C-alpha cells in the first residue's frame, strides 16, 4: 500500500458541468537512510559528464549468463551512470516529496526530490515472471467472488473483529450493506499481488494481495524506462539488452480501468453531459466528504454539488486515516451510494491478511473457483499461512521464530513481527489467555536470493547486498455479469538491503527497481 498521514485523501472521478481540474496531493512519511557503504554523488558536482570512460573501467564488468555484478563496476563509470540516472529522474518526473521541506505535500511542484531507485535492473527468471502474469487475472476473479460472499467475509473475520477495532468498523459498514441487500453491480479492482522468489525452492511465493491503494503504478513505469535508457546509453560497457526489461504499462492500465468504470456508471444524472464534457476529477479528504457530501434518493453521491461516478481511495486503509467519527461517516456514505468504489468495502475486506490465510486452507478455493488448473496455479503461489489457533504451528514458531513472520491486519509497511519478537509475542499471548491472537496470522518466512545492488536515495549512491520483491498490478472491471477488463497491468519491483525486514518504499525501507529477464 501507499502511505499517507492522518489527513487522508480520497480522489474521485466525477462528471460535472462546472469543474474541470484535479489536484493531486500525495503525502510522504519520513524515510530512513540505508545503512551501507555509500558514495555521496552530490558532493562531486565538478564531475565531467563528457569524460571518456577509461579502458580499465571498460574491462571491469563481470557478467555471467547476462547477470551483471554492479559492485564490480569501476568507480569512474559508476559515477557517470549515477549522474545520468539522477538527470533522467529530474527530467521525467521520477520524484517524490522531500521530507526536509515544510511545503512538500502542500504546495504543488515545491519540495521534490528524486524517488529512491536502484541504479540498474534486477535479474529475474523469465519463467517466474510469466507465472506471475498468468495468475494475475485469476486472483482478480477470486477477489471478486470472495467479495460477493458476505457470509464468508463476516465469519472469517468474526474473531478478528473482537480484538481489532479497525477491522470491526469496516465489518460494521459491510454488515449494514448486507442488511440492506445492497449489491455492487459495477465492481472495479486495481490490485497488486506481491511475491518473493524463494532461494531454496526457487518457488515464486505470494506475500500479500493488495486491494486498496495499490501504490507506485506511475513511478514504477518511469523506473523501467530509466533502466532501459541507461542500458542503451552504456551498452558498450554493460552489454545488457534493454529489451529484456518488460514493458510496464501500469499507469495506462489503471487510468484506462478508472475511465471505463466511469463510462459504465451510466447514471441518468450524467447522460446529458456525456457528449459535451470530459471526465473531471476532484480530490477530497474523508472529513471533507462527510461535511460536503450527500446521498440523493436515487443513490447518487454528490460532493460539493458535483455528482460522483467513481471513488478511488488513496487512503482509508489504516486506523490513522480515521481520526474521528467524521471519517467513518464519510466511508459509510460512499459505500451506501451507487458510485463505483475502488475498492468497495467488500473488496477491501477480501484483501485482508486473515482472508488470505483462510483462502490457503484446503478446499476453500474450491468454494469460489471451478477451474482445477486455475486453483492449482494459485496454490502453487501460496506460502505457508496459519491462524494462531494452530497449536502445532505455534509450538514450532516459538522454537524456530526465524522461520516465520507474524502479521497483523494492517497495510502500509512497518507492521510485521520478525525473529525473536515472534517468540516473545506468541509467549505473551499464550500467557495472557486473551483473544488478541485473532488479530494476527503466521506466515512462512521467505528467504529470497541476496545479490549485489546499487541503491540511490537522496542523491547518495549505496553499494549493498539486497533482496527484491515483485508486485504485479492487475485491473478488473465487471458490470453485472459482463467482465469488461480482467488483465495483468504492469509491475512494481522493490529492492531493499538484505538486513532490512520491512520493504515499503514510502516507509523508507526500499527503493524502486525493474526486472531484467534471464
Amino acid at each position: 500500500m501507499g502511505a499517507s498521514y492522518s489527513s487522508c485523501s480520497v480522489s474521485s472521478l466525477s462528471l460535472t458541468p462546472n469543474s474541470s481540474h484535479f489536484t493531486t496531493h500525495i503525502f510522504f512519511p519520513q524515510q530512513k537512510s540505508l545503512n551501507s557503504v555509500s558514495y555521496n554523488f552530490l558532493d562531486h558536482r565538478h564531475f565531467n559528464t563528457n569524460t571518456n570512460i577509461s579502458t580499465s573501467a571498460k574491462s571491469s564488468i563481470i557478467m555471467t549468463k547476462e547477470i551483471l555484478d554492479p559492485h564490480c563496476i569501476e568507480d569512474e563509470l559508476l559515477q557517470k551512470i549515477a549522474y545520468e540516472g539522477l538527470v533522467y529522474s529530474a527530467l521525467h518526473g521520477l520524484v517524490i516529496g522531500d521530507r526536509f521541506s515544510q511545503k512538500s505535500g502542500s504546495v504543488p511542484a515545491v519540495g521534490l526530490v528524486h524517488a529512491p531507485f536502484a541504479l540498474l535492473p534486477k535479474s529475474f527468471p523469465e519463467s517466474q515472471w510469466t507465472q506471475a502474469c498468468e495468475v494475475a487475472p485469476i486472483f482478480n476473479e477470486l477477489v471478486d467472488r470472495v467479495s460477493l460472499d458476505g457470509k464468508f467475509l463476516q465469519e472469517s473475520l468474526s474473531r478478528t473483529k473482537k480484538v481489532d477495532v479497525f477491522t470491526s468498523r469496516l465489518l460494521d459498514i459491510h454488515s449494514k450493506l448486507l442488511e440492506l441487500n445492497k449489491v455492487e453491480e459495477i465492481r472495479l479492482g486495481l490490485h497488486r499481488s506481491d511475491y518473493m522468489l524463494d532461494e531454496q525452492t526457487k518457488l515464486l511465493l505470494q506475500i500479500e494481495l493488495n486491494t486498496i491503494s495499490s501504490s507506485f503504478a506511475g513511478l514504477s513505469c518511469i523506473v523501467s524506462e530509466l533502466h532501459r535508457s541507461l542500458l542503451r546509453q552504456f551498452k558498450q560497457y554493460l552489454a545488457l539488452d534493454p529489451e529484456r526489461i518488460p514493458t510496464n504499462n501500469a499507469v495506462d492500465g489503471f487510468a484506462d480501468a478508472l475511465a471505463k468504470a466511469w463510462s459504465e456508471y451510466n447514471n441518468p444524472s450524467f447522460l446529458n453531459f456525456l457528449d459535451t464534457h470530459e471526465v473531471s476529477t476532484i480530490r477530497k479528504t474523508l472529513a471533507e466528504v462527510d461535511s460536503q457530501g450527500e446521498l440523493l434518493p436515487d443513490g447518487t453521491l454528490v460532493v460539493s454539488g458535483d455528482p460522483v461516478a467513481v471513488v478511488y481511495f488513496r487512503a482509508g486503509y489504516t486506523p490513522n486515516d480515521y481520526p474521528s467519527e467524521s471519517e467513518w461517516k464519510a466511508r459509510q456514505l460512499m459505500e451506501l451510494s451507487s458510485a463505483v468504489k475502488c475498492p468497495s468495502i467488500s473488496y477491501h475486506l477480501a484483501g485482508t491478511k486473515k482472508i488470505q490465510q483462510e483462502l490457503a486452507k484446503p478446499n476453500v478455493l474450491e468454494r469460489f473457483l471451478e477451474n482445477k488448473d486455475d486453483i492449482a496455479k494459485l496454490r502453487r503461489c501460496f506460502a505457508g499461512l496459519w491462524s494462531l489457533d494452530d497449536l502445532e504451528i505455534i509450538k514450532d514458531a516459538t522454537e524456530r521464530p526465524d522461520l516465520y513472520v507474524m502479521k497483523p491486519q494492517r497495510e502500509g509497511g512497518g507492521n510485521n513481527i520478525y525473529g525473536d519478537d515472534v517468540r516473545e509475542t506468541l509467549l505473551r499471548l499464550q500467557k495472557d489467555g486473551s483473544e488478541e491472537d485473532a488479530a494476527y496470522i503466521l506466515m512462512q518466512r521467505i528467504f529470497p536470493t541476496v545479490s549485489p545492488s546499487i541503491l540511490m536515495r537522496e542523491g547518495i549512491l549505496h553499494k549493498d547486498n539486497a533482496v527484491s520483491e515483485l508486485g504485479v498490478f492487475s485491473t478488473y472491471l465487471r458490470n453485472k455479469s459482463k467482465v469488461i477488463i480482467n488483465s495483468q497491468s504492469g509491475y512494481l519491483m522493490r529492492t531493499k538491503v538484505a538486513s532490512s525486514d520491512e520493504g515499503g518504499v514510502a516507509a523508507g525501507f526500499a527503493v524502486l527497481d525493474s526486472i531484467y529477464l534471464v
Side-chain angles (χ1 to χ4, degrees):
M1 303 297 167
S4 66
Y5 291 136
S6 59
S7 51
C8 49
S9 59
V10 177
S11 303
S12 61
L13 282 179
S14 65
L15 180 63
T16 67
N18 299 316
S19 118
S20 60
H21 66 279
F22 175 52
T23 303
T24 302
H25 192 167
I26 302 176
F27 302 97
F28 299 93
Q30 293 202 351
Q31 300 175 341
K32 298 179 181 179
S33 298
L34 299 174
N35 294 319
S36 63
V37 177
S38 63
Y39 176 83
N40 191 339
F41 195 77
L42 296 184
D43 289 342
H44 295 258
R45 294 178 176 85
H46 299 295
F47 178 72
N48 184 357
T49 59
N50 295 316
T51 301
N52 292 327
I53 303 302
S54 66
T55 303
S56 62
K58 291 181 183 180
S59 61
S60 70
I61 308 304
I62 295 178
M63 294 184 60
T64 305
K65 295 182 180 179
E66 290 191 309
I67 299 177
L68 172 69
D69 182 354
H71 288 185
C72 293
I73 300 176
E74 288 286 342
D75 205 37
E76 182 184 358
L77 174 58
L78 194 60
Q79 292 174 36
K80 187 172 178 65
I81 297 173
Y83 182 88
E84 294 300 329
L86 291 172
V87 170
Y88 188 98
S89 298
L91 294 177
H92 293 84
L94 185 57
V95 294
I96 61 173
D98 182 1
R99 64 191 177 97
F100 297 112
S101 171
Q102 291 183 346
K103 294 184 178 180
S104 180
S106 60
V107 181
V110 173
L112 299 174
V113 295
H114 76 85
F117 64 89
L119 191 58
L120 294 169
K122 181 70 64 175
S123 298
F124 197 84
E126 187 168 7
S127 59
Q128 274 82 4
W129 162 248
T130 301
Q131 177 191 359
C133 293
E134 287 180 348
V135 297
I138 307 174
F139 273 117
N140 279 344
E141 190 66 36
L142 177 63
V143 168
D144 187 64
R145 297 193 181 187
V146 170
S147 76
L148 297 176
D149 195 332
K151 182 179 180 181
F152 174 78
L153 290 172
Q154 288 284 334
E155 289 181 351
S156 297
L157 292 162
S158 59
R159 287 192 67 234
T160 304
K161 180 177 182 177
K162 296 178 181 178
V163 293
D164 188 315
V165 175
F166 178 66
T167 302
S168 177
R169 295 299 300 264
L170 294 175
L171 285 168
D172 286 344
I173 295 175
H174 180 254
S175 179
K176 184 174 182 64
L177 298 179
L178 292 179
E179 292 174 6
L180 296 173
N181 198 28
K182 187 178 184 303
V183 178
E184 298 291 330
E185 294 183 342
I186 304 174
R187 303 189 291 278
L188 171 64
L190 303 182
H191 301 148
R192 195 190 72 226
S193 185
D194 294 335
Y195 305 90
M196 277 187 170
L197 187 61
D198 184 65
E199 168 65 17
Q200 184 175 3
T201 63
K202 306 303 179 185
L203 293 176
L204 187 72
L205 300 178
Q206 187 185 56
I207 298 169
E208 64 179 352
L209 178 62
N210 301 283
T211 60
I212 181 169
S213 189
S214 302
S215 60
F216 290 114
L219 293 184
S220 66
C221 299
I222 304 176
V223 174
S224 297
E225 291 303 318
L226 160 67
H227 286 160
R228 282 199 195 90
S229 176
L230 292 177
L231 295 193
R232 292 190 190 101
Q233 190 171 355
F234 296 95
K235 190 170 185 178
Q236 60 179 314
Y237 310 114
L238 304 179
L240 294 171
D241 181 5
E243 300 308 313
R244 299 301 294 170
I245 298 176
T247 300
N248 196 344
N249 61 348
V251 68
D252 291 338
F254 274 25
D256 180 61
L258 285 164
K260 287 183 177 176
W262 174 87
S263 180
E264 290 293 321
Y265 183 67
N266 199 29
N267 185 300
S269 301
F270 291 73
L271 293 181
N272 294 333
F273 307 113
L274 281 175
D275 296 328
T276 57
H277 291 77
E278 296 181 355
V279 176
S280 62
T281 57
I282 58 174
R283 175 194 164 273
K284 297 290 182 181
T285 65
L286 287 169
E288 287 172 337
V289 172
D290 176 44
S291 63
Q292 302 169 16
E294 62 176 318
L295 206 59
L296 300 185
D298 67 352
T300 300
L301 174 65
V302 176
V303 179
S304 296
D306 297 331
V308 177
V310 177
V311 176
Y312 174 76
F313 288 90
R314 181 59 188 86
Y317 51 84
T318 76
N320 292 337
D321 294 336
Y322 301 84
S324 71
E325 282 301 307
S326 179
E327 286 77 17
W328 286 112
K329 287 167 61 181
R331 184 66 185 269
Q332 179 165 297
L333 178 72
M334 290 182 284
E335 295 297 335
L336 290 171
S337 78
S338 60
V340 181
K341 274 77 68 178
C342 184
S344 65
I345 195 80
S346 56
Y347 267 42
H348 187 168
L349 292 170
T352 57
K353 304 293 191 300
K354 181 60 181 175
I355 296 300
Q356 180 187 6
Q357 179 256 310
E358 287 291 319
L359 291 171
K361 288 182 176 179
N363 303 316
V364 176
L365 284 180
E366 285 80 358
R367 176 170 178 167
F368 303 103
L369 301 173
E370 299 82 24
N371 188 295
K372 292 182 179 180
D373 289 339
D374 288 348
I375 292 171
K377 289 177 181 177
L378 294 191
R379 284 220 170 95
R380 188 182 175 197
C381 298
F382 285 172
L385 291 157
W386 304 274
S387 65
L388 268 63
D389 58 5
D390 188 327
L391 297 181
E392 184 177 345
I393 291 297
I394 296 302
K395 181 177 183 295
D396 190 62
T398 304
E399 295 172 352
R400 302 187 298 172
D402 288 341
L403 299 183
Y404 296 85
V405 180
M406 199 168 172
K407 294 187 172 185
Q409 310 301 312
R410 293 291 179 269
E411 306 293 347
N415 301 299
N416 297 335
I417 301 171
Y418 298 88
D420 289 338
D421 290 338
V422 172
R423 177 192 292 115
E424 293 176 8
T425 304
L426 290 174
L427 291 175
R428 177 182 62 80
L429 292 174
Q430 287 179 321
K431 181 180 179 180
D432 292 347
S434 68
E435 292 189 279
E436 187 187 345
D437 61 343
Y440 299 91
I441 66 164
L442 274 174
M443 181 177 176
Q444 164 196 350
R445 186 164 186 177
I446 304 168
F447 295 94
T449 302
V450 178
S451 58
S453 296
I454 306 293
L455 314 179
M456 299 292 299
R457 184 183 288 278
E458 297 179 358
I460 301 176
L461 181 154
H462 303 261
K463 290 183 178 181
D464 215 319
N465 292 317
V467 296
S468 297
E469 179 179 322
L470 173 66
V472 176
F473 294 110
S474 60
T475 50
Y476 187 87
L477 178 62
R478 188 184 192 106
N479 191 342
K480 299 179 182 177
S481 62
K482 181 183 178 182
V483 176
I484 293 98
I485 303 173
N486 185 13
S487 64
Q488 180 267 339
S489 305
Y491 71 96
L492 164 70
M493 193 69 162
R494 287 170 292 181
T495 294
K496 64 179 181 179
V497 293
S499 59
S500 173
D501 288 327
E502 294 292 350
V505 175
F509 303 105
V511 303
L512 298 171
D513 207 340
S514 69
I515 64 177
Y516 186 90
L517 298 178
V518 295

